[in-house]
Amino acid sequence: MKNLLSRSRGPGLDERLDALRIAVEIGRDRLQPEAIEPVSAVLDRASERMGLGAELTVVALAGATGSGKSSLFNALTGSDLSPVGVRRPTTGVAHAAAWGETTSEALLDWLNVPRRHGASDPDLDGLVLLDLPDHDSTESGHRLEVDRLAQLVDVFVWVLDPQKYADAALHEGYLRPLASHAAVTTVVLNQTDRLTESERRRCIADVARLVEADGLRGVKVLSTSARTGEGVGELRTLIAARVREERAATERLSADLDAVSAALARYCNGAPGDISKTERDLLVEALANAAGVQVVSTAVAKAHRRDAALATGWPLTRWLRRLRPDPLARLHLRRDSGGGRTSLPAATPLQRAQVETATRRVGLQAAGRLPQPWPEVLRRRASGASEPLLDDLDRAVGQTDLGEERRPAWWSLVGALQGILLTAAAVGFLWLTVLFALEWFQIPRPPTPQIEGIPWPSFLLLGGLLAGFLLAALSGLLARAGAAARMRRAEKRLKGAVEEVADELVISPLDQELRAYATFCDAVRRMSRR
Amino acid sequence: MQTQTVHDAVVRLRSVLSEVAFPLDLPAAPEATAMKLELEGQIEDYLLPRLLQIDAPLLAVVGGSTGAGKSTLVNSLVGRTVSASGVLRPTTTTPVLVAHPEDMRWFEGDRILPGLARATGAPPKGSTSLHLIADADIPRGIALLDAPDVDSVVQANRRLATQLLAAGDLWLFVTTAARYADAVPWEFLRRARARSTALALVLNRVPPEALDEVPQHLGEMLNREGLEGTRVLTVAEVVLTDGRIPGSVLVDVRRWLDALAADAGARAEVVASTLEGAIASIAPRIDALVSHLEAQISAGGSLAAQARDAYAAALEEVTAGVSGGALLRSEVLARWHEFLGTGDLMRSLQLGIGRFRDRLNQLITGQPPVENEVRTEVERGIETIGLAACDKAVERTQAAWRSSQPGRSLIEDAGAPRSSSARLPAAIESEVRAWQGYVLDLVRAQGAGKRAAGRAVSFGVNAVGAALMIAVFAQTGGLTGGEVAIAGGTAALSQRLLEALFGDEAVRNLTNDARTDLLTRLSHLLESEAARFEDLASRATPDRARIAELRSAVTAVEAAR
């Protein structure tokens, strides 16, 4: 089978079936069921048929009631297996004749043809010939049987007759929809014994014209008469050639694949959009807003100032700070408060709306000018992300290192300095107290050392207090600058975390979907022989 | 039967019928449209002419499958080639009417088949005008019309054949031994039965071996279909001489035709029975059309309802959004909280330096006064929530419409909106502005009643208005976590402030009024958004008035017969 296939142009059938499999997999959840089901039916049928002997050839004689299918069937089998009559419709169920040992019972079971006959002829070894019921009589059950078997057979032999060859039921119901199956189609104008030679020739030409107009290119039109046997030999030779080639089953599938590819091409005629930097930034902005990045980074700044004040503030008033709540702890964002979850406010309807709008926009952007159902699929993907987004954003914020633990070195330096200054002030205060006590008890004081005319104890007390206060004020200014820097840093980190979440939950699913589109359309292209 | 009254009633029915359409893409719509066109055609081509001139010759339309030998039959009856026949299918594309020269005047004018042009002489190929051929071999009182086939690939033929058959007083339906069980012709036979059109079948091309079995089987089939008693004229298959069937084989048909021609009473009976049948078939056909109309109306209604539901959900979202108390960013809330908490407001109200303080604050910090910020924030918040809800509603409607064929067609062909209208953001903004104006008016009006409150309000209407807005948004709780601390506290503070100014009862009324006003405004906006879909659906939905009109027109026809 392999080397037979390699004879045909283009990619091999296996590759094309692979492409079909991919297209079905991608299309299953995305296309409308009525669009994807026939496609997946082709896939199922292909693997079933290939497993039943690709070298066997199933030929169906199909046609209108009274066209003489059964007579031809009998002429080809050299028997009167299929009843022939003047009452219409004659054949109610399909008849099958199988040639040779190789034709498996399994294939006939798969075709589900109730009437089976064995035949033997070395020329036709490997042939299963079906006599189908009519497709145009008042018995609608016949039509259903024809429709079912038309999906399964390898070669169509349409039996036409001079009266009915232009019927809409045939051309609109079967030949046009099967236009892609020209390679496995033969048209026979039967009952030519009713026509004169010149009429026959004109009729054949007219049939050929109609068949061509149906879109079936290069189809052979034979003329036969089951009654006189004219042309039956030619038809038999043609069928025998098909059987010998052992290629009809794969050609049928190949035609199916062409048809499927053509049908699916309409889902591929568009240009996907591109998620631009601006759109992405807008999304991140909205998500950051919803995640409370602003709130958290402000809290980081406030916490920094609080921590700085606790470390470097004026020792006399520093304790007051402790009475104010820690803004970060209130949001449960302190490392030591444990757990990843924050108690940031739950997303408000406003934030939710912002997130939804932003994701929707990105989805629309990604859809570009794709044909349905892709815009719908992308939209669903994008808006489906909204709910988990809010949770994940919360988690991301909770796990971001805000840098609130790091204590700058100068804090301890200033802290120590504040200690020294306080000690100096205390020493000055004690000294003065002692001096005051001596004075009070009228005990003569030792001379107090002076610095630039100011007594040391006073200098120590006042200088210590003043310097401490000034140092605290200076530290406050420094802490303010530090807080601003830290806020920026935290904001940057939080935005980074938000960006990751946006990429993971919005951008990459959309990218994935766009890739699915590309893979699908690539598969659709590869499926076709052309 | 008063033909004139019936005529008038049918004319009225025709004018009502011309207004009927089935624009929604339901699976049955093409069938319904075809049914309506057919009825219109029959009224135009058959009923009205026949009602006007009950004495006109009987028009026998020769119809049937392609290749059944209609033209051959007509040629053989006339005795010369008047209609092209041959082996190539379909042969006849041009309708040919053959009548006695003295009957010709009935057919030359626009009395019947007014839509078809008339031509004389040899019919050119492909012409669809009605060819009139006078032939003295045709008995007086009967005209034969050779119609194109009903079942070939040429669609124009099928349409024309249907029109011509509808115009006939009598169908001479031609089938063959190979064709008599085909599905398509039987659909026509059933139609003839449904309208009690006079019917005779010609079973042509019966091979000798089938002469017993096939006519008998056809008879059984006719019985099964409720067409028992239909005349079946069998014509054996013979070699044509000169493209015509020899008279000896055609003797049955000839005899039947001559008998009909000879008996004016029988002819009148055929005409009357077909006419009555056609009139009687109007009511059930109109019933069928009415049920198609009803299906359309209900499908259109459910499309409109889907849009309405989607926007009702949007209104709920908006309502929840503006009631959550979290419409304002926490920074702004915090500022407002500070402003209230520090007593700034009360002091500025009491001291009457509100405006001065604002200016100063603005000058120093570069920040707008907090109450202005609250108002901007409210505007932005409502706009965001409203837009998101509307966009979602568009999506929901689109998804709902896409799930049915008529909806899909509306989206793809009628261009249903794919997004919210472009003017929506501006519309929301102006509505919110108007609402804020209303809130301030409320505050002023409330203030005018009480002296103390009046003084306070005159100093800081904006601030009091902002407090009222916040109280509106916080009306339903549902807050969790840290937000309660801010929003809840703020709302409580705002509430306390308002109560201090106006009293509990008044505050409750104020918040209710303000809230109702906001939601009314927003729901009007949403309605106008929904209307874009609903209008589309209702434009594509037939008017219910058509049903009543049809019913009354049909009652008039029924009463007249």
Side-chain angles (χ1 to χ4, degrees):
Chain A
M1 189 182 120
K2 275 253 157 58
N3 59 352
L4 282 172
L5 279 176
S6 57
R7 260 191 266 152
S8 64
R9 294 169 291 116
L13 189 67
D14 286 345
E15 282 170 55
R16 294 168 61 200
L17 281 173
D18 268 345
L20 174 63
R21 197 163 293 123
I22 292 170
V24 167
E25 236 158 66
I26 295 177
R28 187 164 286 142
D29 308 330
R30 297 176 173 90
L31 267 49
Q32 298 269 356
E34 59 267 30
I36 196 68
E37 264 159 24
V39 179
S40 108
V42 168
L43 181 61
D44 294 346
R45 218 156 53 220
S47 53
E48 286 166 14
R49 179 67 186 88
M50 290 289 102
L52 290 166
E55 70 287 355
L56 301 178
T57 306
V58 181
V59 176
L61 295 174
T65 167
S67 61
K69 298 177 297 294
S70 297
S71 305
L72 262 188
F73 181 80
N74 290 344
L76 287 168
T77 53
S79 66
D80 47 4
L81 293 171
S82 191
V84 178
V86 291
R87 267 174 96 101
R88 305 279 155 239
T90 322
T91 308
V93 291
H95 288 254
W99 274 263
E101 310 283 301
T102 48
T103 50
S104 67
E105 199 69 6
L107 180 58
L108 287 165
D109 287 342
W110 181 66
L111 291 167
N112 194 14
V113 177
R115 304 282 158 78
R116 300 167 187 181
H117 314 280
S120 70
D121 181 339
D123 279 354
L124 298 176
D125 208 12
L127 167 68
V128 175
L129 184 67
L130 298 182
D131 179 19
L132 301 189
D134 67 88
H135 58 77
D136 64 347
S137 79
T138 46
E139 301 288 336
S140 55
H142 293 187
R143 193 159 44 240
L144 294 180
E145 180 71 353
V146 173
D147 290 350
R148 180 182 74 81
L149 283 167
Q151 306 288 327
L152 306 180
V153 302
D154 303 328
V155 176
F156 296 97
V157 175
W158 290 100
V159 183
L160 276 52
D161 66 279
Q163 255 189 66
K164 292 184 151 190
Y165 73 80
D167 277 15
L170 170 71
H171 292 276
E172 289 175 10
Y174 294 92
L175 293 185
R176 278 177 211 172
L178 286 169
S180 51
H181 290 61
V184 289
T185 300
T186 302
V187 173
V188 171
L189 182 68
N190 197 21
Q191 303 180 13
T192 46
D193 53 290
R194 292 168 181 273
L195 304 171
T196 66
E197 179 54 25
S198 81
E199 282 174 344
R200 189 185 66 89
R201 238 177 281 128
R202 277 164 56 215
C203 242
I204 291 283
D206 202 35
V207 170
R209 176 186 67 82
L210 285 173
V211 169
E212 181 98 10
D214 288 333
L216 288 153
R217 297 273 139 68
V219 166
K220 207 163 169 79
V221 180
L222 297 181
S223 79
T224 58
S225 165
R227 189 176 296 182
T228 64
E230 182 221 319
V232 176
E234 202 186 336
L235 176 61
R236 186 191 176 82
T237 313
L238 197 123
I239 293 176
R242 282 281 189 198
V243 172
R244 237 185 351 269
E245 282 175 354
E246 300 188 343
R247 222 171 50 187
T250 55
E251 275 187 7
R252 154 85 213 220
L253 285 179
S254 174
D256 280 346
L257 287 169
D258 285 345
V260 165
S261 170
L264 292 181
R266 72 194 201 86
Y267 300 108
C268 291
N269 58 351
D274 179 34
I275 303 167
S276 69
K277 173 100 175 62
T278 353
E279 285 300 328
R280 197 167 167 280
D281 287 351
L282 275 172
L283 174 71
V284 170
E285 190 64 44
L287 295 188
N289 201 350
V293 166
Q294 195 61 44
V295 177
V296 173
S297 44
T298 313
V300 165
K302 280 187 184 153
H304 181 85
R305 271 155 63 195
R306 177 178 177 274
D307 290 355
L310 284 176
T312 67
W314 203 32
L316 288 182
T317 53
R318 192 187 274 189
W319 58 275
L320 279 172
R321 282 279 183 169
R322 286 203 189 277
L323 297 181
R324 291 227 203 148
D326 177 355
L328 269 182
R330 207 172 69 177
L331 297 172
H332 292 263
L333 280 172
R334 282 280 183 201
R335 276 303 110 173
D336 46 324
S337 67
R341 299 287 297 185
T342 68
S343 66
L344 276 175
T348 63
L350 179 65
Q351 287 163 333
R352 209 176 287 267
Q354 282 169 333
V355 169
E356 278 169 7
T357 305
T359 47
R360 184 175 294 123
R361 283 184 59 139
V362 179
L364 274 178
Q365 191 79 19
R369 283 197 307 281
L370 289 181
Q372 284 295 346
W374 301 103
E376 183 65 17
V377 168
L378 286 163
R379 184 196 65 72
R380 269 210 302 271
R381 272 292 192 139
S383 61
S386 298
E387 223 21 65
L389 249 183
L390 290 164
D391 279 350
D392 274 34
L393 284 174
D394 209 20
R395 202 169 306 127
V397 167
Q399 284 164 356
T400 303
D401 178 11
L402 301 171
E404 81 279 7
E405 300 298 295
R406 271 182 299 284
R407 303 169 70 84
W410 64 268
W411 282 11
S412 15
L413 202 72
V414 171
L417 208 56
Q418 284 284 20
I420 293 168
L421 287 173
L422 187 68
T423 318
V427 168
F429 177 72
L430 275 177
W431 196 335
L432 282 177
T433 316
V434 169
L435 290 180
F436 183 73
L438 290 176
E439 184 98 341
W440 200 70
F441 290 109
Q442 297 293 315
I443 299 167
R445 303 178 291 172
T448 317
Q450 292 196 347
I451 178 165
E452 303 277 335
I454 304 169
W456 262 100
S458 312
F459 177 76
L460 282 177
L461 177 61
L462 291 176
L465 288 179
L466 190 65
F469 182 76
L470 287 176
L471 186 60
L474 185 68
S475 303
L477 282 179
L478 279 175
R480 201 175 268 267
R486 187 167 277 197
M487 180 168 111
R488 275 195 301 279
R489 223 168 20 242
E491 205 175 335
K492 204 169 153 206
R493 284 202 190 134
L494 287 167
K495 278 247 173 91
V498 167
E499 234 172 286
E500 263 172 42
V501 172
D503 277 341
E504 188 194 330
L505 284 181
V506 183
I507 308 280
S508 79
L510 289 178
D511 274 343
Q512 211 179 316
E513 212 50 65
L514 288 178
R515 270 201 302 281
Y517 165 78
T519 314
F520 176 83
C521 291
D522 179 53
V524 167
R525 268 188 298 279
R526 283 192 294 131
M527 220 185 282
S528 161
R529 203 171 349 188
R530 288 171 280 277
Chain B
M1 181 168 64
Q2 294 292 314
T3 48
Q4 190 55 45
T5 349
V6 180
H7 179 268
D8 295 347
V10 171
V11 167
R12 196 178 134 220
L13 176 65
R14 178 182 62 176
S15 82
V16 171
L17 208 52
S18 70
E19 298 287 311
V20 171
F22 305 91
L24 276 183
D25 188 10
L26 286 172
E31 187 196 324
T33 308
M35 197 181 209
K36 177 215 139 176
L37 288 177
E38 202 199 322
L39 181 54
E40 273 184 322
Q42 200 187 9
I43 290 175
E44 190 80 9
D45 295 335
Y46 172 71
L47 273 178
L48 296 181
R50 189 38 94 186
L51 284 165
L52 275 181
Q53 285 169 316
I54 196 83
D55 312 323
L58 183 145
L59 178 64
V61 179
V62 184
S65 303
T66 171
K70 299 176 296 298
S71 298
T72 308
L73 181 73
V74 171
N75 291 344
S76 307
L77 286 173
V78 178
R80 64 186 174 106
T81 303
V82 291
S83 184
S85 66
V87 292
L88 299 192
R89 314 268 162 252
T91 329
T92 306
T93 52
T94 309
V96 175
L97 189 146
V98 200
H100 192 273
E102 286 178 36
D103 282 342
M104 212 34 130
R105 65 189 169 90
W106 294 102
F107 302 105
E108 278 162 351
D110 277 351
R111 186 188 65 96
I112 66 154
L113 295 167
L116 288 182
R118 304 297 198 265
T120 48
K125 204 160 170 53
S127 148
T128 52
S129 7
L130 180 61
H131 276 260
L132 303 177
I133 289 174
D135 195 297
D137 273 5
I138 295 287
R140 286 202 57 181
I142 290 189
L144 286 179
L145 174 54
D146 182 20
D149 63 85
V150 294
D151 56 3
S152 84
V153 278
V154 182
Q155 207 185 10
N157 274 8
R158 286 181 267 161
R159 211 175 301 130
L160 186 57
T162 310
Q163 186 189 358
L164 295 176
L165 282 167
D169 294 305
L170 166 73
W171 288 11
L172 199 55
F173 208 83
V174 186
T175 184
T176 68
R179 282 214 178 261
Y180 72 93
D182 282 10
V184 178
W186 276 99
E187 279 167 30
F188 280 85
L189 296 182
R190 285 183 203 120
R191 212 176 289 173
R193 181 197 60 201
R195 282 181 226 162
S196 29
T197 301
L199 178 68
L201 269 177
V202 176
L203 182 59
N204 199 3
R205 295 187 166 188
V206 186
E209 69 270 20
L211 270 171
D212 292 329
E213 197 177 348
V214 168
Q216 191 199 337
H217 186 215
L218 177 58
E220 287 165 19
M221 288 177 83
L222 285 168
N223 287 351
R224 210 166 39 237
E225 291 289 345
L227 284 163
E228 56 275 352
T230 302
R231 187 67 187 265
V232 178
L233 305 160
T234 307
V235 178
E237 180 168 46
V238 285
V239 180
L240 301 182
T241 48
D242 231 4
R244 292 196 286 278
I245 306 166
S248 57
V249 185
L250 216 54
V251 69
D252 269 1
V253 181
R254 168 69 69 183
R255 199 177 296 149
W256 172 81
L257 200 64
D258 287 344
L260 197 59
D263 186 351
R267 266 201 327 270
E269 209 172 289
V270 167
V271 167
S273 100
T274 300
L275 180 59
E276 295 217 13
I279 294 171
S281 79
I282 289 179
R285 282 152 90 189
I286 292 290
D287 279 349
L289 288 181
V290 163
S291 69
H292 282 302
L293 276 178
E294 271 163 355
Q296 291 255 327
I297 290 170
S298 104
S302 72
L303 286 177
Q306 281 165 348
R308 236 182 346 262
D309 290 352
Y311 279 92
L315 181 62
E316 263 169 43
E317 276 165 21
V318 170
T319 311
V322 300
S323 309
L327 196 64
L328 282 69
R329 270 179 305 155
S330 40
E331 304 93 274
V332 179
L333 275 177
R335 272 196 72 199
W336 177 251
H337 196 176
E338 266 168 36
F339 177 61
L340 284 187
T342 53
D344 281 0
L345 179 68
M346 284 314 267
R347 208 167 24 217
S348 73
L349 288 175
Q350 278 150 15
L351 296 178
I353 56 160
R355 209 155 296 162
F356 172 70
R357 187 195 60 87
D358 289 348
R359 289 272 162 74
L360 198 65
N361 192 22
Q362 208 167 350
L363 222 60
I364 296 168
T365 61
Q367 272 182 324
V370 66
E371 57 269 27
N372 287 6
E373 210 177 337
V374 167
R375 285 175 60 180
T376 325
E377 212 36 40
V378 163
E379 243 172 67
R380 205 162 48 192
I382 295 177
E383 189 180 319
T384 309
I385 285 176
L387 281 181
C390 285
D391 285 351
K392 213 195 261 183
V394 169
E395 276 176 8
R396 271 198 220 109
T397 312
Q398 283 244 351
W401 281 19
R402 261 183 209 292
S403 67
S404 72
Q405 185 52 48
R408 255 200 305 279
S409 300
L410 277 186
I411 291 173
E412 269 146 33
D413 309 331
R418 280 158 206 268
S419 57
S420 297
S421 57
R423 48 155 216 101
L424 183 63
I428 295 182
E429 197 185 312
S430 80
E431 282 301 327
V432 173
R433 288 251 168 88
W435 172 69
Q436 288 175 334
Y438 171 78
V439 168
L440 295 186
D441 285 348
L442 272 184
V443 168
R444 273 191 212 102
Q446 191 67 34
K450 296 189 176 181
R451 247 188 104 240
R455 203 184 63 219
V457 165
S458 71
F459 293 124
V461 170
N462 287 342
V464 180
L468 182 53
M469 288 174 208
I470 286 173
V472 166
F473 297 134
Q475 215 175 27
T476 27
L479 295 181
T480 50
E483 200 72 8
V484 173
I486 308 173
T490 309
L493 274 176
S494 305
Q495 191 89 12
R496 228 174 301 143
L497 165 79
L498 292 169
E499 280 166 9
L501 287 174
F502 305 125
D504 309 3
E505 181 67 30
V507 169
R508 234 189 332 274
N509 290 341
L510 278 180
T511 43
N512 272 338
D513 285 355
R515 186 183 149 79
T516 313
D517 183 69
L518 177 63
L519 290 178
T520 315
R521 284 169 195 277
L522 291 176
S523 84
H524 284 325
L525 274 183
L526 290 181
E527 272 163 28
S528 77
E529 286 292 298
R532 299 189 311 151
F533 286 98
E534 288 180 63
D535 288 352
L536 203 62
S538 72
R539 265 203 304 280
T541 307
D543 192 342
R544 194 167 275 284
R546 293 292 98 76
I547 293 182
E549 287 168 13
L550 278 179
R551 288 235 162 91
S552 91
V554 140
T555 316
V557 172
E558 287 286 294
R561 60 186 267 246

